[in-house]
Amino acid sequence: MCGIVGYAGRRAGKPIILDGLRHLEYRGYDSAGIALLDGGGLDIVRAVGNLDQLVAATAAADGNGGGSAAGPGAAAHVGLGHTRWATHGRPSHENAHPHSDCSGRVSIVLNGIIENYKELREELTARGHTFTSETDAEVVAHLIEEETAAGLAAAVRATAVRLEGHYAFCAISADEPELIVGTRDEAPLVVGVGDGETFVASAIPAFLSHTRRVVVLDDGDVVSVTAEGVSVTDRVGAPVERECGEVTWDADAAEKGGYETFMIKEIHEQPRALADTLAGRLSDDGEVDLAEVDLAVDLLQKVRRVLIIACGTSYHAGLIGSYAMETLTGLPVQVDLASEFRYRQPVLGDDVLVIGISQSGETADTLAAMRLCREAGSPVLALTNIMGSQATREADAVLFTRAGLEIGVAATKTHVAQVAALLLLTLHIARVRGTLSEDELLQVGRELRDVPALVEDCLLANPHVEEVARRYAGERFFLYLGRHIGYGVCLEGALKLKEIAYIPTESYAAGEMKHGPIALLDSGSPVVVVANDGPVYGKLVSNIEEVRARGADVIAVATAGNDAILELAEAVLWIPRCDSVVAAIVAIVPLQLLAYHIACLRGLNVDQPRNLAKTVTVE
């Protein structure tokens, strides 16, 4: 979603902030802006579109002179930058951040949503404030304006207690030109600590090229940032201690590493992401050790039902995991879209284990659903890729995926890591509940242990996928079919094509095809079928025959050695032979590649698809 970058130091702030925003482009945005404290005042530049538009706007401002001979903000050592993904108010120059107060002495940037902004705006307007945007965020600047006599930090604290919603914001004031003050409530905000300089941002990549020392803030924290360092208080001003940790990945992890795009780089990083997710948790003989996950044995023995809640790609991972979990643990597993679940009246209790899956750990709907479940007395496990994220605070236990930094908006390596983590958890629960023998547990564990190598083989086994993509890149519609555990794979494969190639798709459980979707087919219609070997393969063959009878072209994902499929499909994407439980991890890889190459052939930006954001922090 939106991105925040702040800098307070001794170097020129403008290039550092613009570079930080560049490192947050993967989050998705429609406008951008920068505010710099310079010469006793604020210099603000905003632009609609990508960062190139903002850079051009700052260059134009430089050419016009402004605050110094070198252009506005050239001497500034303190400032804020922002990339906006529109929620309240259309993408426009007026609605782009930063926003200012009536005096032009205060400027703020904000991520998230202020739910009570209409009431606050009416109050402020009645007291004589003038608004220049349609956004909910602008109320924050005016609320701070009314409290600045007490100092910026006190003003931010007084403002935060008036706000309802989920947000993170930072503020600067011309009256305190060395200071940035920020706070968060259910939206990410982190601080980078350098030598003689300090950074604040919505995500670590914004400042990773400058420092690896990071302070992760909690909800309700109010952080004051200067070149000399960081101080944190709560909302009433009492000092709070927050640990300064060190990020283990370096700036190179955020670069393409020789690949043409981040997405293809991350597709090829999947064997490593899987190996890291399994490392230390799965022995060579297949024994699972999840002692790190603080789920008591008596709790797992007491559980009578499992509920998985997630959105998007994480939902598909949950659906795939649910088949294995039901089969191996004997527990009924319900998978629900968090955005719908939170508005139901779900049946919960202390015997319902809830698993909330979120790549970022900041997905608004998933967090809200997790809270609802905890309030109802259900134990909640967060499955996420980001340490210190909000999901880790909203849960009773956490299982990390260890996929590493993922820049591409369309999830790839985080998805397969989520499925692998769910399978680890499944084996752990099966052991605790005694639903599998020791030999059975070890056998499945060994199959899972081999998955990184299987994915590596799959990447090498499909050099012809670009040729298949070229054949179908001009099609206007694709139908995806799968059954059993392959149904979740088919959903995820179809989503990838929608996300990055902008091609409408329908994804169906293959047995449902005759209940409507078959009417969409005519001669040459591309139908992607997840048809790897497994317990429902015979049924899938029947579905393929029905597709062929309507003249459609079948693109099959099939198991190596199944020569019979060559008689049934116009194109085959191969996966190595493996157990059907782990095949769902391997089978998504050729579908990722198919979507990727189709999008590239259509000349599209696969790393930053239109209208999408990496981290969905609003409903």
Side-chain angles (χ1 to χ4, degrees), residues 320 324 423 447 484-486 532-536 578-585:
I320 292 167
L423 293 179
E447 294 278 354
H484 196 254
I485 203 166
N532 54 286
D533 292 358
V536 293
C578 55
D579 185 90
S580 60
V581 172
V582 300
I585 298 176

Side-chain angles (χ1 to χ4, degrees), residues 63-376:
N64 291 332
S68 71
H77 302 292
V78 175
L80 296 171
H82 190 264
T83 51
R84 177 179 186 253
W85 191 81
T87 54
H88 295 76
R90 68 193 186 284
S92 68
H93 182 273
E94 293 76 17
N95 291 334
H97 297 216
H99 291 295
S100 297
D101 66 337
C102 296
S103 70
R105 305 286 290 173
V106 172
S107 188
I108 68 100
V109 294
L110 180 144
N111 291 354
I113 288 178
I114 307 302
E115 294 176 355
N116 62 332
Y117 85 98
K118 289 184 179 178
E119 297 85 4
L120 293 171
R121 185 168 178 141
E122 289 173 1
E123 289 179 24
L124 289 161
T125 301
R127 291 199 291 268
H129 289 265
T130 301
F131 286 80
T132 60
S133 79
E134 304 167 300
T135 69
D136 56 334
E138 192 183 351
V139 299
V140 173
H142 294 278
L143 287 169
I144 290 173
E145 178 187 1
E146 294 194 332
E147 304 288 344
T148 50
L152 186 59
V156 167
R157 286 192 288 267
T159 296
V161 299
R162 298 287 317 277
L163 305 179
E164 297 174 10
H166 48 276
Y167 57 83
F169 72 83
C170 292
I172 54 178
S173 169
D175 298 325
E176 297 179 69
E178 303 301 320
L179 177 66
I180 301 172
V181 180
T183 189
R184 62 164 285 170
D185 198 340
E186 300 179 23
L189 196 66
V190 292
V191 176
V193 181
D195 295 327
E197 58 187 9
T198 312
F199 308 81
V200 61
S202 49
I204 293 170
F207 54 73
L208 189 56
S209 60
H210 303 284
T211 182
R212 297 188 191 181
R213 298 170 61 206
V214 176
V215 177
V216 177
L217 302 174
D218 266 334
D219 283 346
D221 286 352
V222 177
V223 62
S224 295
V225 167
T226 67
E228 283 66 44
V230 182
S231 63
V232 184
T233 72
D234 61 19
R235 292 278 168 85
V236 297
V240 174
E241 291 294 326
R242 292 285 176 247
E243 182 181 354
C244 184
E246 185 156 331
V247 174
T248 56
W249 28 276
D250 58 25
D252 288 343
E255 302 301 330
K256 295 177 184 175
Y259 288 94
E260 187 174 349
T261 65
F262 284 116
M263 185 176 179
I264 195 64
K265 173 177 178 279
E266 288 154 7
I267 288 173
H268 283 272
E269 287 175 342
Q270 288 179 121
R272 171 50 55 194
L274 288 161
D276 289 346
T277 297
L278 301 175
R281 300 163 168 175
L282 189 61
S283 68
D284 288 343
D285 65 359
E287 185 174 355
V288 171
D289 180 1
L290 281 186
E292 68 189 81
V293 180
D294 191 19
L295 286 175
V297 168
D298 59 346
L299 185 154
L300 292 178
Q301 291 173 336
K302 175 184 177 181
V303 165
R304 292 293 172 264
R305 181 163 62 92
V306 176
L307 170 64
I308 298 174
I309 46 179
C311 298
T313 285
S314 295
Y315 170 79
H316 300 157
L319 186 63
I320 292 167
S322 72
Y323 283 89
M325 192 170 287
E326 282 194 337
T327 300
L328 301 181
T329 70
L331 288 168
V333 182
Q334 175 187 352
V335 188
D336 225 323
L337 289 164
S339 55
E340 289 297 312
F341 175 84
R342 59 184 293 198
Y343 296 110
R344 298 213 328 254
Q345 296 295 321
V347 179
L348 297 163
D350 61 3
D351 61 350
V352 179
L353 173 63
V354 177
I355 303 171
I357 309 177
S358 168
Q359 175 275 138
S360 65
E362 305 287 351
T363 307
D365 286 313
T366 303
L367 292 173
M370 290 167 61
R371 285 184 211 112
L372 187 156
C373 294
R374 287 188 87 190
E375 289 166 2

Side-chain angles (χ1 to χ4, degrees), residues 465-597:
V465 69
E466 188 171 359
E467 178 185 331
V468 177
R470 192 176 302 279
R471 180 174 175 181
Y472 295 101
E475 295 292 335
R476 294 181 296 173
F477 168 77
F478 280 67
L479 178 65
Y480 282 66
L481 300 175
R483 298 191 83 132
H484 196 254
I485 203 166
Y487 175 48
V489 178
C490 125
L491 287 168
E492 176 61 12
L495 178 62
K496 291 283 100 54
L497 194 65
K498 289 175 186 171
E499 286 180 316
I500 64 173
Y502 314 150
I503 297 176
T505 67
E506 288 282 1
S507 46
Y508 270 84
E512 293 296 297
M513 180 181 59
K514 294 185 292 295
H515 296 274
I518 199 168
L520 296 168
L521 301 181
D522 56 21
S523 179
S525 297
V527 180
V528 180
V529 184
V530 181
N532 54 286
D533 292 358
V536 293
Y537 176 74
K539 298 290 185 183
L540 273 165
V541 169
S542 296
N543 298 135
I544 290 172
E545 294 284 15
E546 292 164 349
V547 165
R548 286 166 53 82
R550 274 72 188 174
D553 281 11
V554 174
I555 304 168
V557 176
T559 305
N562 178 12
D563 294 338
I565 198 73
L566 295 170
E567 301 297 321
L568 300 173
E570 278 66 37
V572 180
L573 307 176
W574 299 105
I575 67 169
R577 185 167 297 281
C578 55
D579 185 90
S580 60
V581 172
V582 300
I585 298 176
V586 186
I588 190 57
V589 176
L591 297 184
Q592 293 169 344
L593 291 169
L594 180 65
Y596 175 83
H597 287 298

Side-chain angles (χ1 to χ4, degrees), residues 367-399:
L367 292 173
M370 290 167 61
R371 285 184 211 112
L372 187 156
C373 294
R374 287 188 87 190
E375 289 166 2
S378 294
V380 175
L381 169 73
L383 199 161
T384 182
N385 194 47
I386 306 298
M387 293 185 179
S389 61
Q390 188 65 22
T392 65
R393 300 181 177 91
E394 301 282 354
D396 301 292
V398 182
L399 177 56

